[in-house]
Amino acid sequence: MQTILVTGGAGYIGSHTLVELLQNTDFRVVSLDNFSNSLERSYERVQKICKRNFETICLDLCDKTRLYEALGQIGHIDGIIHFAAYKSVPESVKEPLLYYHNNLTSLNNLLSYAVDNGIKHFIFSSSCSVYGNADDLPVTEASPLKKAESPYGHTKQVGEEMISFVSQAYPAFSAVLLRYFNPVGAHLSGLLGELPLNRPNNLVPIITQTAVGKNALTVFGKDYPTRDGSCIRDYIHVSDIADAHVKALDYLLSGKNKTRCSIFNLGTGTGISVLEAIASFEKVSGKKLPYTIGGRRAGDVVSIYANNSLAKKELSWSPQYGIDDMMLSAWKWQQHLETE
Ligand code: WQD
């Protein structure tokens, strides 16, 4: 039985990926998380959906000694999916050194362990934020990377380069870098979803919290050069993102990785504006959403959406959900949270 280590497995995308791994593969799955931005209770939610156990390790990846001790006890690891990182754009602007330490020291330690222990397959959670304000849309994997708009985005750019150089230095090491666009929504069961521990920064959890009176949505700018003046993003269902990780593992484990460090855009290829996302939520929820129009938010790009043809071709992956599905699943999850 092959062993897959998932770091950040208690987090939003990590927990949804645990579900897809446990339901669709016979891997031995080990989740590593220090719950700095997640709740251990996420594991119960995963088990409730999958009705299958998995192993867990609680440790900080920045503690190299503990990391080597703990992973040494797992035995051979066939592949690593690395989610664990801080991911708030505005927080990274306020606390750059916290982000450089946490996101890059942890990655360096994990890569060191992988190289020292012959772990050949590595999947890295990257982000469309590496593109910055792209000149041409949709962006392809060959689109030029612009100067990062935030330390968060910079840690993703640096992380990608670290992994690329490691794959060049160690021929047995093979990696896939997955550039997520905007992951949103929740597991269709309504039993698992995004759990912001503090006030969320991202649009969709703010929308659903506003709908239940726990937040107040401000649209950050309606004077952008777009079809309705609000920013455009490529929202993609978190379960589509999770599915892509299972397919990327298969791509690596079956030796299909031609370049040893492959990059794939994970987006739907459709750009949706903030106001269109709000309209979608109102349609599927049947609720009128109160919001105000405010000023632009620092660091926001005007518009970005993916050319996802390479992931479709190489990973045999295709996003299954549209914006209405995403909003309905997010709303179902928020309603479930209200009952807990
Ligand atoms: C989307 C749009 C806001 C909140 C970031 C990271 C990305 C990924 C997702 C981790 C923007 C607008 C938002 C609000 C608003 N991170 N908005 N009012 O910034 O596109 O992407 O999160 O995986 O890597 O860069 O996502 O949801 O914060 O914003 O008007 O209260 O919604 O201005 O146009 P973003 P977001």
Side-chain angles (χ1 to χ4, degrees):
M1 180 182 278
Q2 293 179 304
T3 298
I4 303 299
L5 174 70
V6 179
T7 75
Y12 175 41
I13 303 173
S15 57
H16 285 80
T17 302
L18 290 182
V19 168
E20 297 304 320
L21 285 170
L22 293 165
Q23 285 188 327
N24 300 302
T25 76
D26 60 5
F27 293 133
R28 174 192 172 211
V29 177
V30 182
S31 178
L32 184 154
D33 207 308
N34 68 350
F35 311 117
S36 61
N37 194 28
S38 58
L39 296 177
E40 187 168 11
R41 185 165 178 208
S42 295
Y43 288 152
E44 292 167 28
R45 301 180 195 278
V46 170
Q47 278 165 336
K48 190 171 181 182
I49 293 169
C50 299
K51 302 199 177 21
R52 188 181 148 194
N53 282 329
F54 54 95
E55 297 157 71
T56 64
I57 301 172
C58 176
L59 74 83
D60 181 346
L61 287 167
C62 292
D63 182 340
K64 190 169 184 177
T65 305
R66 281 271 299 117
L67 172 63
Y68 271 63
E69 280 168 4
L71 296 192
Q73 288 165 21
I74 294 179
H76 181 67
I77 295 170
D78 296 278
I80 294 175
I81 305 179
H82 180 44
F83 291 109
Y86 293 158
K87 65 167 192 172
S88 166
V89 169
E91 184 184 51
S92 76
V93 171
K94 293 190 193 97
E95 304 265 8
L97 295 176
L98 176 71
Y99 271 66
Y100 289 124
H101 170 65
N102 185 70
N103 291 6
L104 298 180
T105 305
S106 55
L107 176 59
N108 196 68
N109 288 346
L110 196 59
L111 289 170
S112 300
Y113 186 86
V115 167
D116 292 347
N117 292 275
I119 299 174
K120 295 180 182 170
H121 307 295
F122 195 93
I123 296 173
F124 178 62
S125 166
S126 190
S127 165
C128 63
S129 51
V130 301
Y131 295 113
N133 253 314
D135 297 326
D136 300 310
L137 292 172
V139 289
T140 72
E141 291 79 359
S143 292
L145 304 192
K146 293 291 195 67
K147 182 180 178 312
E149 299 279 342
S150 69
Y152 161 78
H154 191 210
T155 64
K156 291 303 182 183
Q157 288 178 341
V158 172
E160 287 192 357
E161 289 177 300
M162 285 167 66
I163 295 163
S164 173
F165 282 119
V166 167
S167 68
Q168 290 170 39
Y170 303 97
F173 184 85
S174 179
V176 162
L177 312 178
L178 296 177
R179 289 177 179 165
Y180 313 153
F181 281 68
N182 284 59
V184 298
H187 191 264
L188 295 193
S189 65
L191 301 175
L192 182 66
E194 195 165 5
L195 256 182
L197 296 189
N198 309 304
R199 281 182 70 77
N201 297 301
N202 293 137
L203 178 66
V204 173
I206 293 173
I207 285 177
T208 58
Q209 287 184 359
T210 299
V212 295
K214 290 186 170 175
N215 213 317
L217 174 62
T218 300
V219 173
F220 294 140
K222 195 174 173 295
D223 59 351
Y224 284 99
T226 62
R227 51 183 177 266
D228 63 15
S230 64
C231 291
I232 290 175
R233 295 288 183 275
D234 185 333
Y235 298 99
I236 178 162
H237 197 286
V238 63
S239 292
D240 278 329
I241 295 274
D243 178 49
H245 286 75
V246 178
K247 291 183 164 62
L249 261 183
D250 177 61
Y251 176 80
L252 286 169
L253 293 173
S254 54
K256 293 175 191 153
N257 195 10
K258 303 183 184 78
T259 65
R260 290 226 315 281
C261 186
S262 301
I263 301 173
F264 299 108
N265 284 340
L266 296 186
T268 64
T270 301
I272 296 284
S273 77
V274 175
L275 294 176
E276 289 164 349
I278 292 169
S280 168
F281 177 81
E282 292 181 327
K283 179 171 78 173
V284 300
S285 66
K287 291 177 78 76
K288 184 84 181 103
L289 198 71
Y291 63 87
T292 56
I293 301 291
R296 295 181 176 191
R297 179 175 70 173
D300 274 336
V301 299
V302 180
S303 176
I304 186 161
Y305 49 94
N307 176 322
N308 62 6
S309 54
L310 195 61
K312 284 183 170 179
K313 175 172 175 278
E314 294 297 325
L315 302 182
S316 305
W317 168 81
S318 187
Q320 300 300 304
Y321 303 107
I323 189 67
D324 290 350
D325 304 312
M326 296 176 216
M327 288 300 178
L328 183 57
S329 65
W331 176 229
K332 196 174 163 188
W333 166 241
Q334 185 69 53
Q335 291 174 300
H336 173 81
L337 285 176
E338 299 309 298
T339 67
E340 286 194 346

